[in-house]
mmCIF file with all atom_site columns, all heavy atoms in Angstrom:
data_model
loop_
_atom_site.group_PDB
_atom_site.id
_atom_site.type_symbol
_atom_site.label_atom_id
_atom_site.label_alt_id
_atom_site.label_comp_id
_atom_site.label_asym_id
_atom_site.label_entity_id
_atom_site.label_seq_id
_atom_site.pdbx_PDB_ins_code
_atom_site.Cartn_x
_atom_site.Cartn_y
_atom_site.Cartn_z
_atom_site.occupancy
_atom_site.B_iso_or_equiv
_atom_site.pdbx_formal_charge
_atom_site.auth_seq_id
_atom_site.auth_comp_id
_atom_site.auth_asym_id
_atom_site.auth_atom_id
_atom_site.pdbx_PDB_model_num
ATOM 1  N N   . GLU A 1 594 ? 22.381 17.451 14.931 1.00 0.00 ? 1780 GLU A N   1
ATOM 2  C CA  . GLU A 1 594 ? 21.172 18.038 14.376 1.00 0.00 ? 1780 GLU A CA  1
ATOM 3  C C   . GLU A 1 594 ? 21.505 18.888 13.156 1.00 0.00 ? 1780 GLU A C   1
ATOM 4  O O   . GLU A 1 594 ? 22.541 19.538 13.089 1.00 0.00 ? 1780 GLU A O   1
ATOM 5  C CB  . GLU A 1 594 ? 20.469 18.889 15.428 1.00 0.00 ? 1780 GLU A CB  1
ATOM 6  C CG  . GLU A 1 594 ? 19.941 18.072 16.594 1.00 0.00 ? 1780 GLU A CG  1
ATOM 7  C CD  . GLU A 1 594 ? 19.157 18.929 17.566 1.00 0.00 ? 1780 GLU A CD  1
ATOM 8  O OE1 . GLU A 1 594 ? 18.948 20.112 17.263 1.00 0.00 ? 1780 GLU A OE1 1
ATOM 9  O OE2 . GLU A 1 594 ? 18.773 18.410 18.617 1.00 0.00 ? 1780 GLU A OE2 1
ATOM 10 N N   . VAL A 1 595 ? 20.614 18.862 12.175 1.00 0.00 ? 1781 VAL A N   1
ATOM 11 C CA  . VAL A 1 595 ? 20.773 19.641 10.950 1.00 0.00 ? 1781 VAL A CA  1
ATOM 12 C C   . VAL A 1 595 ? 19.618 20.635 10.862 1.00 0.00 ? 1781 VAL A C   1
ATOM 13 O O   . VAL A 1 595 ? 18.464 20.287 11.092 1.00 0.00 ? 1781 VAL A O   1
ATOM 14 C CB  . VAL A 1 595 ? 20.765 18.716 9.706  1.00 0.00 ? 1781 VAL A CB  1
ATOM 15 C CG1 . VAL A 1 595 ? 20.912 19.531 8.435  1.00 0.00 ? 1781 VAL A CG1 1
ATOM 16 C CG2 . VAL A 1 595 ? 21.867 17.683 9.814  1.00 0.00 ? 1781 VAL A CG2 1
ATOM 17 N N   . ALA A 1 596 ? 19.925 21.891 10.535 1.00 0.00 ? 1782 ALA A N   1
ATOM 18 C CA  . ALA A 1 596 ? 18.886 22.918 10.433 1.00 0.00 ? 1782 ALA A CA  1
ATOM 19 C C   . ALA A 1 596 ? 17.959 22.591 9.263  1.00 0.00 ? 1782 ALA A C   1
ATOM 20 O O   . ALA A 1 596 ? 18.406 22.337 8.151  1.00 0.00 ? 1782 ALA A O   1
ATOM 21 C CB  . ALA A 1 596 ? 19.521 24.287 10.243 1.00 0.00 ? 1782 ALA A CB  1
ATOM 22 N N   . LEU A 1 597 ? 16.653 22.619 9.509  1.00 0.00 ? 1783 LEU A N   1
ATOM 23 C CA  . LEU A 1 597 ? 15.650 22.323 8.496  1.00 0.00 ? 1783 LEU A CA  1
ATOM 24 C C   . LEU A 1 597 ? 14.692 23.502 8.364  1.00 0.00 ? 1783 LEU A C   1
ATOM 25 O O   . LEU A 1 597 ? 14.611 24.357 9.266  1.00 0.00 ? 1783 LEU A O   1
ATOM 26 C CB  . LEU A 1 597 ? 14.899 21.045 8.883  1.00 0.00 ? 1783 LEU A CB  1
ATOM 27 C CG  . LEU A 1 597 ? 15.752 19.763 8.886  1.00 0.00 ? 1783 LEU A CG  1
ATOM 28 C CD1 . LEU A 1 597 ? 15.004 18.621 9.551  1.00 0.00 ? 1783 LEU A CD1 1
ATOM 29 C CD2 . LEU A 1 597 ? 16.130 19.384 7.463  1.00 0.00 ? 1783 LEU A CD2 1
ATOM 30 N N   . PRO A 1 598 ? 13.921 23.582 7.261  1.00 0.00 ? 1784 PRO A N   1
ATOM 31 C CA  . PRO A 1 598 ? 13.092 24.766 6.998  1.00 0.00 ? 1784 PRO A CA  1
ATOM 32 C C   . PRO A 1 598 ? 12.115 25.123 8.114  1.00 0.00 ? 1784 PRO A C   1
ATOM 33 O O   . PRO A 1 598 ? 11.854 26.306 8.343  1.00 0.00 ? 1784 PRO A O   1
ATOM 34 C CB  . PRO A 1 598 ? 12.343 24.393 5.711  1.00 0.00 ? 1784 PRO A CB  1
ATOM 35 C CG  . PRO A 1 598 ? 13.175 23.349 5.075  1.00 0.00 ? 1784 PRO A CG  1
ATOM 36 C CD  . PRO A 1 598 ? 13.854 22.611 6.164  1.00 0.00 ? 1784 PRO A CD  1
ATOM 37 N N   . LEU A 1 599 ? 11.543 24.126 8.793  1.00 0.00 ? 1785 LEU A N   1
ATOM 38 C CA  . LEU A 1 599 ? 10.518 24.410 9.809  1.00 0.00 ? 1785 LEU A CA  1
ATOM 39 C C   . LEU A 1 599 ? 11.042 24.197 11.233 1.00 0.00 ? 1785 LEU A C   1
ATOM 40 O O   . LEU A 1 599 ? 10.243 24.091 12.174 1.00 0.00 ? 1785 LEU A O   1
ATOM 41 C CB  . LEU A 1 599 ? 9.279  23.540 9.571  1.00 0.00 ? 1785 LEU A CB  1
ATOM 42 C CG  . LEU A 1 599 ? 8.611  23.671 8.195  1.00 0.00 ? 1785 LEU A CG  1
ATOM 43 C CD1 . LEU A 1 599 ? 7.351  22.828 8.124  1.00 0.00 ? 1785 LEU A CD1 1
ATOM 44 C CD2 . LEU A 1 599 ? 8.285  25.124 7.871  1.00 0.00 ? 1785 LEU A CD2 1
#
Side-chain angles (χ1 to χ4, degrees):
E1780 294 184 6
V1781 179
L1783 294 168
L1785 303 184

